[in-house]
Amino acid sequence: MDQLQETAEKIRTMEIRGAGRIAKAAAIAIRDYVRNLDAYTIQEFDYKVQKAAKTLVNTRPTAVSLPNAVWMSVKYSKKNVDGAREEIINNANQFIKQADDALDNIGNIGARRIQNGDVILTHCNSHAALSAITTAFEHGKNISVITTESRPRKQGLLNIKYLNDYGIPTTYIVDSAVRSCIKDVDKVIVGADAISVNGALVNKIGTSQLALSAHEARVNFLVAAETYKFSPRTIQGNLIEIEDRPIDEVMDPDKLKDLPHVNVKNPAFDVTPAEYIDLIVTDAGVIPPGMAYIIIKEYLGWELSDIG
Ligand code: RI2
């Protein structure tokens, strides 16, 4: 369990971050845990697997990719320990491959939506959004990017390093500069931590303000999201929990000592309603947000709506 606990801690502290990457890290952790798990009975095996799964799922509450990856991995039908072990290892490996393939597919499908000469605005650091952007560039499209800083953790710094390595011209702006820059933008492309059955997007805090600005300026707003980022539980009316992160990500708590009337909030995500989203680029193809239910039904299934 030590290694699994270590991965869980890295996800919780965001040493491993990004909705896709935490899902993959969790699938690897559960696979490796199960591989060496000692259990005399299937009941003991099941108890330990469920406990390990919950340890991973409870690290971050918002990105639905995490419970989807874990619950897709730990399902088994065999009634003996070795059979169940093998099934879980196979499921996890399948998920890991699916996650890698999904990023490539999103790159190719998303790149077709990007035109030569486009200026693309992105927010936070999304591998899925960057896959579409860098693939378009590799296909010879002459594009440039504007990236927000993405306070408080400044994931925009990851974007400028990554895009610079590709040789893609990139401009770095503070989050509050979005509205003044939106007139220069052809498309917004962001990632997703979760997409609900009604097509609403949960993504890094600031995404919904960006979507409002894009809507006002009639700039297309695209979301790049693997099918496993759709939330089956929202079919049953469950809301997606928004993670509140520690305030020391925003400011030094010592500065508050002499300010007894001041409170600091640090919500990590916000919700962008479906009406501000033009398209969702998934690994299964491009959909309007109103088709989110189809993705959940076809690619995730009802089973996950009870647990995931
Ligand atoms: P990919 C991130 O969450 C950002 O909100 C980003 O847009 C989203 O995950 C998707 O990222 P955080 O872990 O899976 O930085 O596309 O809180 O890489």
Side-chain angles (χ1 to χ4, degrees):
M1 192 87 164
D2 282 2
Q3 222 176 335
L4 185 132
Q5 289 281 13
E6 204 178 296
T7 301
E9 190 56 16
K10 283 183 180 168
I11 294 173
R12 198 184 60 73
T13 58
M14 291 180 70
E15 190 180 326
I16 302 174
R17 57 147 295 279
R21 277 157 284 177
I22 63 177
K24 215 172 120 177
I28 292 169
I30 208 87
R31 179 196 66 191
D32 295 348
Y33 172 69
V34 163
R35 198 172 263 154
N36 304 311
L37 181 56
D38 281 329
Y40 291 107
T41 63
I42 191 71
Q43 288 78 10
E44 184 189 353
F45 177 85
D46 192 67
Y47 172 78
K48 288 180 171 169
V49 167
Q50 291 296 320
K51 199 168 161 210
K54 284 180 189 141
T55 299
L56 290 165
V57 167
N58 290 339
T59 50
R60 294 194 72 192
T62 302
V64 72
S65 50
L66 182 60
N68 281 350
V70 170
W71 299 126
M72 280 156 89
S73 295
V74 301
K75 61 176 193 225
Y76 62 86
S77 55
K78 297 274 177 1
K79 299 281 181 274
N80 62 82
V81 171
D82 285 337
R85 188 196 317 275
E86 197 186 321
E87 267 186 85
I88 294 176
I89 291 170
N90 288 341
N91 291 340
N93 280 335
Q94 201 181 321
F95 178 82
I96 295 159
K97 180 166 181 342
Q98 183 199 333
D100 289 339
D101 291 347
L103 275 182
D104 290 343
N105 286 347
I106 287 177
N108 285 315
I109 297 168
R112 282 187 229 133
R113 301 281 154 174
I114 296 172
Q115 267 79 50
N116 197 35
D118 272 356
V119 177
I120 296 157
L121 174 59
T122 193
H123 181 59
C124 200
N125 171 252
S126 156
H127 256 49
L130 289 173
S131 179
I133 292 167
T134 54
T135 306
F137 186 74
E138 282 171 339
H139 290 177
K141 290 176 184 167
N142 180 20
I143 56 171
S144 62
V145 175
I146 300 175
T147 177
T148 59
E149 180 182 37
S150 309
R151 281 274 294 156
R153 296 185 70 102
K154 302 187 179 174
Q155 285 94 333
L157 293 174
L158 300 172
N159 288 346
I160 56 172
K161 167 93 181 69
Y162 190 79
L163 293 164
N164 183 71
D165 287 349
Y166 268 87
I168 300 177
T170 303
T171 304
Y172 186 72
I173 60 170
V174 296
D175 300 341
S176 45
V178 158
R179 191 157 178 252
S180 77
C181 293
I182 198 80
K183 59 183 181 313
D184 303 323
V185 172
D186 296 295
K187 281 179 189 82
V188 174
I189 306 181
V190 295
D193 287 84
I195 295 174
S196 74
V197 67
N198 65 5
L201 163 70
V202 181
N203 193 47
K204 184 59 51 192
I205 192 80
T207 303
S208 65
Q209 284 179 187
L210 170 54
L212 262 178
S213 282
H215 185 73
E216 180 194 42
R218 294 171 182 269
V219 169
N220 270 337
F221 187 94
L222 275 62
V223 180
E226 298 90 327
T227 51
Y228 63 79
K229 291 187 183 155
F230 288 69
S231 172
R233 293 183 75 224
T234 56
I235 292 180
Q236 300 192 5
N238 289 296
L239 296 176
I240 294 164
E241 184 184 337
I242 301 293
E243 177 181 5
D244 264 318
R245 299 219 25 108
I247 63 162
D248 62 5
E249 290 186 347
V250 178
M251 64 151 71
D252 177 356
D254 282 349
K255 291 203 165 70
L256 291 173
K257 280 193 181 135
D258 301 325
L259 304 170
H261 305 295
V262 176
N263 181 31
V264 176
K265 267 182 79 70
N266 184 20
F269 305 99
D270 62 21
V271 182
T272 300
E275 55 265 38
Y276 297 123
I277 299 168
D278 292 292
L279 286 175
I280 304 176
V281 180
T282 80
D283 39 306
V286 172
I287 59 158
M291 275 177 66
Y293 171 74
I294 307 288
I295 296 287
I296 296 173
K297 187 167 163 278
E298 298 288 319
Y299 296 92
L300 298 164
W302 278 102
E303 196 186 303
L304 277 178
S305 72
D306 282 328
I307 50 170

